[in-house]
Amino acid sequence: MKKSKILMLIAALLPLGLFFFPLWKITLEAPQYPTPLGMYIHINDFSDDNPHDIKNINLMNHYVGMKYIPDAIPEFKIFPTGILITTSIGLLIGFFGNYKWFLGWFILMIVVSAAGMYDFYLWEHDYGHNLDPKAILKFTNPDGTQMGFQPPLLGSKDILNFKAHSYPRLGALFLLLGIATSYLAYIVGKKQTKNNQLM
């Protein structure tokens, strides 16, 4: 089997790491919490960094009118199905396609990943801005508008006396490696095809 096809098969399988490792992590640091509160986001679930972290985040957020972090969201059904479908497509391309199809899968995964990040941003925005008007505590910006509590999409951000951190985890690395490997498969396949034409 050609080296490019082997690389493409590996690329298609790497995103399956999302089923075994967390995709993202959000951490909240504050003086009143000696141990930061943390939440892992998996492809099909939320989980605590430390015992009861999500429960404590929900209790804290309740005072400012933020929604509870649910046990499940629709994306937990959509994302796993999407990864299984794109992996299947990648394997079919790896076995039966040529290097041009490898580039197609690379572009497909870029689009799917960008859509996932945008959906994550929309969820964070709604979570941080769609507040209960009957909240116990209300905070406003200097211009008088309601303060939002949206965590950062990527990086760190000060929210009142908290510092929120949002960074990818090992599952995201598997996804990125899969995407990068598919592009490498395309480059290798293109070179192999060109060399064969010169012979």
Side-chain angles (χ1 to χ4, degrees):
M1 184 178 285
K2 291 183 178 180
K3 183 179 179 180
S4 61
K5 286 183 173 290
I6 294 173
L7 285 171
M8 184 60 222
L9 293 173
I10 293 172
L13 291 172
L14 280 170
L16 295 179
L18 286 165
F19 289 94
F20 303 99
F21 303 102
L23 172 64
W24 218 264
K25 182 183 180 184
I26 296 177
T27 305
L28 299 174
E29 296 180 349
Q32 65 266 40
Y33 292 99
T35 301
L37 302 176
M39 177 180 77
Y40 288 105
I41 301 172
H42 303 259
I43 194 172
N44 57 1
D45 196 10
F46 295 119
S47 69
D48 297 306
D49 183 16
N50 305 293
H52 312 299
D53 273 0
I54 293 177
K55 179 181 178 180
N56 288 328
I57 291 171
N58 279 332
L59 289 172
M60 176 182 63
N61 289 347
H62 170 71
Y63 289 104
V64 295
M66 297 173 72
K67 297 177 181 178
Y68 286 109
I69 298 168
D71 293 328
I73 56 177
E75 287 83 351
F76 287 162
K77 293 183 178 180
I78 297 170
F79 288 168
T81 302
I83 291 297
L84 291 174
I85 290 173
T86 53
T87 292
S88 299
I89 293 171
L91 291 174
L92 288 173
I93 290 172
F95 279 115
F96 304 111
N98 61 35
Y99 74 93
K100 294 179 182 178
W101 285 94
F102 302 168
L103 182 62
W105 192 84
F106 168 78
I107 294 171
L108 170 65
M109 294 304 291
I110 291 290
V111 171
V112 169
S113 299
M117 288 296 292
Y118 181 64
D119 181 80
F120 181 36
Y121 170 81
L122 292 179
W123 180 81
E124 281 193 328
H125 187 274
D126 179 69
Y127 179 70
H129 289 87
N130 188 10
L131 306 179
D132 185 349
K134 298 180 181 178
I136 299 170
L137 300 175
K138 296 181 181 180
F139 297 92
T140 57
N141 296 309
D143 62 0
T145 58
Q146 185 182 54
M147 181 180 290
F149 301 95
Q150 180 179 357
L153 181 64
L154 177 65
S156 299
K157 177 182 179 181
D158 291 321
I159 305 174
L160 294 178
N161 66 323
F162 284 88
K163 193 166 190 71
H165 308 280
S166 177
Y167 290 100
R169 305 303 290 177
L170 195 54
L173 178 61
F174 272 89
L175 177 61
L176 289 174
L177 283 175
I179 295 172
T181 304
S182 70
Y183 188 74
L184 178 61
Y186 163 72
I187 296 297
V188 171
K190 185 177 181 179
K191 185 176 180 180
Q192 287 174 340
T193 301
K194 185 177 179 180
N195 289 340
N196 290 338
Q197 291 172 347
L198 293 174
M199 292 177 65

